[in-house]
Amino acid sequence: MMPDQEDVVAELQRIGRELDALSKGIAKLDRAAVDAWSAHRKAYASAYLGGKGPIKDREQAAVLEVEATRLAAEIADQVLRASKERIRVLRDRLEIGRSVGAARRSQFAAEATGQPA
């Protein structure tokens, strides 16, 4: 069953509002990811420079010490990617909605003239 034109319009408006909100939030998510990676690099450098022993031991000790900041940065990246994917999916749904709306209008016009759709 094809949705009513009003249903199509309402869904397209809802998707548009969600896209608008996500678009506004994406810059904040991007900044959060950049900040998280910066914090990780700084923490690693501090841990490495403050370490004792051979280079390989200091490197591995620094990796262990800053694992939480690396994980936070990876998570920030993942949240950013998920938001970008949601935007892509919503744009696809907009296109589908536009196609359904056009098909519905065509059907309505054909019904009004008594011709098959």
Side-chain angles (χ1 to χ4, degrees):
M1 182 171 114
M2 191 170 290
D4 291 342
Q5 190 68 23
E6 295 83 23
D7 293 338
V8 172
V9 170
E11 180 64 7
L12 292 176
Q13 289 173 334
R14 189 197 65 71
I15 291 171
R17 286 189 299 274
E18 188 175 348
L19 273 171
D20 188 46
L22 283 169
S23 295
K24 289 176 183 174
I26 205 84
K28 291 178 186 176
L29 294 175
D30 200 8
R31 177 60 191 248
V34 169
D35 288 344
W37 280 110
S38 176
H40 170 66
R41 284 188 299 276
K42 289 177 195 174
Y44 180 85
S46 293
Y48 179 81
L49 291 173
K52 305 278 189 251
I55 290 174
K56 288 292 183 188
D57 290 349
R58 289 191 344 231
E59 287 173 351
Q60 294 309 309
V63 166
L64 291 172
E65 188 174 324
V66 301
E67 178 57 20
T69 61
R70 188 204 59 78
L71 181 59
E74 290 283 350
I75 290 170
D77 274 348
Q78 185 278 323
V79 170
L80 178 61
R81 284 190 312 270
S83 291
K84 287 179 179 179
E85 177 64 11
R86 179 67 181 152
I87 287 171
R88 189 193 65 73
V89 166
L90 287 172
R91 285 184 179 147
D92 289 349
R93 287 187 59 207
L94 269 178
E95 289 304 313
I96 292 167
R98 288 180 183 138
S99 295
V100 168
R104 185 70 179 114
R105 282 189 303 276
S106 175
Q107 180 184 24
F108 180 73
E111 288 171 358
T113 61
Q115 297 177 1

